Amino acid sequence: IFLIVMVIPGDPARLALGSKASEETVERYREEMHLNEPVYTRYYYWIDGIAHGDWGTSIYTKRPVLQDVKEFAPVTLELMLYSAIMTVGFGLLLGVLSARYKNKWPDLTIRLASYIGIAMPAFVVAIFLLLIFGYWWQILPTVGSRLGAGIQLRSITGMVTIDALLTGNIKAFFSGLGCLLPPAFALALGSFMQEAKITRSSMIDFENKDFIALITSQGVPKRKIKGKYLLKPSAIPSVSIMGLDIASLFGNAFLVEQIFNWPGLSRYGLTAMLQKDLNAICAVVLFTALFFVVCNILVDLVIYILDPRVRHAR
């Protein structure tokens, strides 16, 4: 990423100071930011700064990048949280319903909807939601707002709904939740539709396994079989894909946050790219990579819990 940013056209010093800055001022800025040094020297300074907790200064906000990350990251993480809840909840629910009513109208409807949801990019869904809820029906605040007008909330974690629960402000919680729903749904739609297809296929495949035939022959009710013995192993392939989908939500959020004017880290990163803000771009990429690693570790832990073959393997 560091090398790619180096070859992007544009002078970072001129972009940072503006077109009206004098050449002397621009040259002084280049010296301060080591922009006249070779690429490997600049990379050394950047790595050394990261190791000592100095992520550099953003030419876009004129503040330390680490301070920007601390401010904007909780906003995007809250959006990821509700998108992940939708992905897991709706994905499993629709998959189970589709498998239960196989080849009937609920199954056909869910399968058709899944094809549309998977094929439609998140930013297209975001535009439709913006038109429907923001301009036609005007039900929910959709652009740049995290709380309704006149609602006050003390910030603790930077996540509106979490802070509202911690402070017991139920009105602020539902107001923040209403603002979160459109962008969170836009991000989650393709993911939970894909999970629904995978869950359906897994459940139909496991219905023909020997252990299900054995449980059925012992007179166990079908409802209990589907809910207890069939769903758990069928969820393992879905959980594996869910981890990748949830981790990918961060990348999909770049355009969605821009469309909804959501003040999160992804929107901050997109603006940094347009401004050729090297320190900010690298910080956003590092945070995204960390988020991806954490999601994959959590998926491994969930599969360890669900699959006894993994727990008892030597």
Side-chain angles (χ1 to χ4, degrees):
I1 297 299
F2 189 94
L3 294 175
I4 289 174
V5 174
M6 290 297 100
V7 301
I8 295 177
D11 183 3
R14 178 60 67 181
L15 289 171
L17 299 177
S19 59
K20 295 183 179 180
S22 64
E23 277 300 324
E24 292 79 8
T25 305
V26 174
E27 187 61 32
R28 195 181 310 117
Y29 185 85
R30 290 195 187 102
E31 291 293 336
E32 292 174 359
M33 302 300 293
H34 308 289
L35 296 177
N36 291 330
E37 303 285 348
V39 173
Y40 57 85
T41 305
R42 295 166 63 183
Y43 185 67
Y44 166 77
Y45 281 121
W46 180 74
I47 287 292
D48 183 64
I50 291 290
H52 292 86
D54 179 13
W55 291 25
T57 303
S58 169
I59 65 174
Y60 166 57
T61 62
K62 306 296 190 296
R63 300 187 305 179
V65 170
L66 193 57
Q67 180 182 343
D68 289 338
V69 171
K70 290 179 180 178
E71 178 181 336
F72 297 122
V75 182
T76 296
L77 288 176
E78 185 179 28
L79 185 61
M80 299 298 101
L81 173 64
Y82 285 93
S83 296
I85 291 173
M86 289 183 183
T87 297
V88 175
F90 290 150
L92 293 178
L93 176 63
L94 293 176
V96 170
L97 286 175
S98 186
R100 182 176 181 181
Y101 298 101
K102 183 175 65 174
N103 295 329
K104 297 181 180 179
W105 71 264
D107 177 34
L108 298 176
T109 303
I110 292 172
R111 288 165 63 187
L112 177 61
S114 67
Y115 291 129
I116 298 173
I118 294 171
M120 191 175 295
F123 71 90
V124 175
V125 180
I127 293 172
F128 277 115
L129 293 176
L130 190 65
L131 288 173
I132 295 171
F133 294 105
Y135 294 99
W136 292 348
W137 293 350
Q138 298 183 1
I139 298 175
L140 298 174
T142 53
V143 180
S145 174
R146 300 181 66 202
L147 274 175
I151 298 178
Q152 301 295 326
L153 179 65
R154 181 165 61 93
S155 179
I156 300 175
T157 65
M159 303 181 187
V160 168
T161 54
I162 304 299
D163 291 343
L165 291 176
L166 291 176
T167 57
N169 193 336
I170 303 301
K171 183 178 180 181
F173 172 79
F174 284 106
S175 177
L177 185 63
C179 296
L180 271 167
L181 285 177
F185 184 82
L187 280 176
L189 178 62
S191 298
F192 71 67
M193 284 302 184
Q194 179 171 258
E195 308 313 328
K197 282 178 60 65
I198 295 173
T199 303
R200 174 190 182 275
S201 300
S202 298
M203 290 191 71
I204 292 175
D205 181 54
F206 274 99
E207 280 181 346
N208 300 321
K209 299 293 184 181
D210 293 339
F211 73 94
I212 295 295
L214 175 63
I215 296 171
T216 305
S217 66
Q218 293 175 346
V220 179
K222 288 187 177 180
R223 183 184 297 273
K224 187 175 182 179
I225 292 175
K226 291 182 180 293
K228 183 177 180 180
Y229 299 103
L230 188 58
L231 179 59
K232 190 174 180 179
S234 300
I236 294 172
S238 301
V239 169
S240 302
I241 302 300
M242 280 179 189
L244 297 176
D245 285 342
I246 292 172
S248 300
L249 290 175
F250 216 110
N252 294 334
F254 279 87
L255 289 178
V256 172
E257 286 193 355
Q258 188 70 19
I259 291 170
F260 283 97
N261 199 24
W262 194 255
L265 189 66
S266 295
R267 180 169 173 263
Y268 169 77
L270 184 60
T271 306
M273 294 174 194
L274 297 176
Q275 298 288 335
K276 199 181 178 182
D277 192 343
L278 172 63
N279 293 327
I281 293 172
C282 291
V284 172
V285 172
L286 281 175
F287 192 89
T288 305
L290 178 63
F291 183 76
F292 202 96
V293 170
V294 171
C295 285
N296 278 276
I297 292 174
L298 292 177
V299 166
D300 289 342
L301 293 175
V302 172
I303 291 176
Y304 178 84
I305 294 171
L306 290 177
D307 195 344
R309 295 172 298 179
V310 176
R311 290 200 304 275
H312 301 296
R314 291 184 179 271

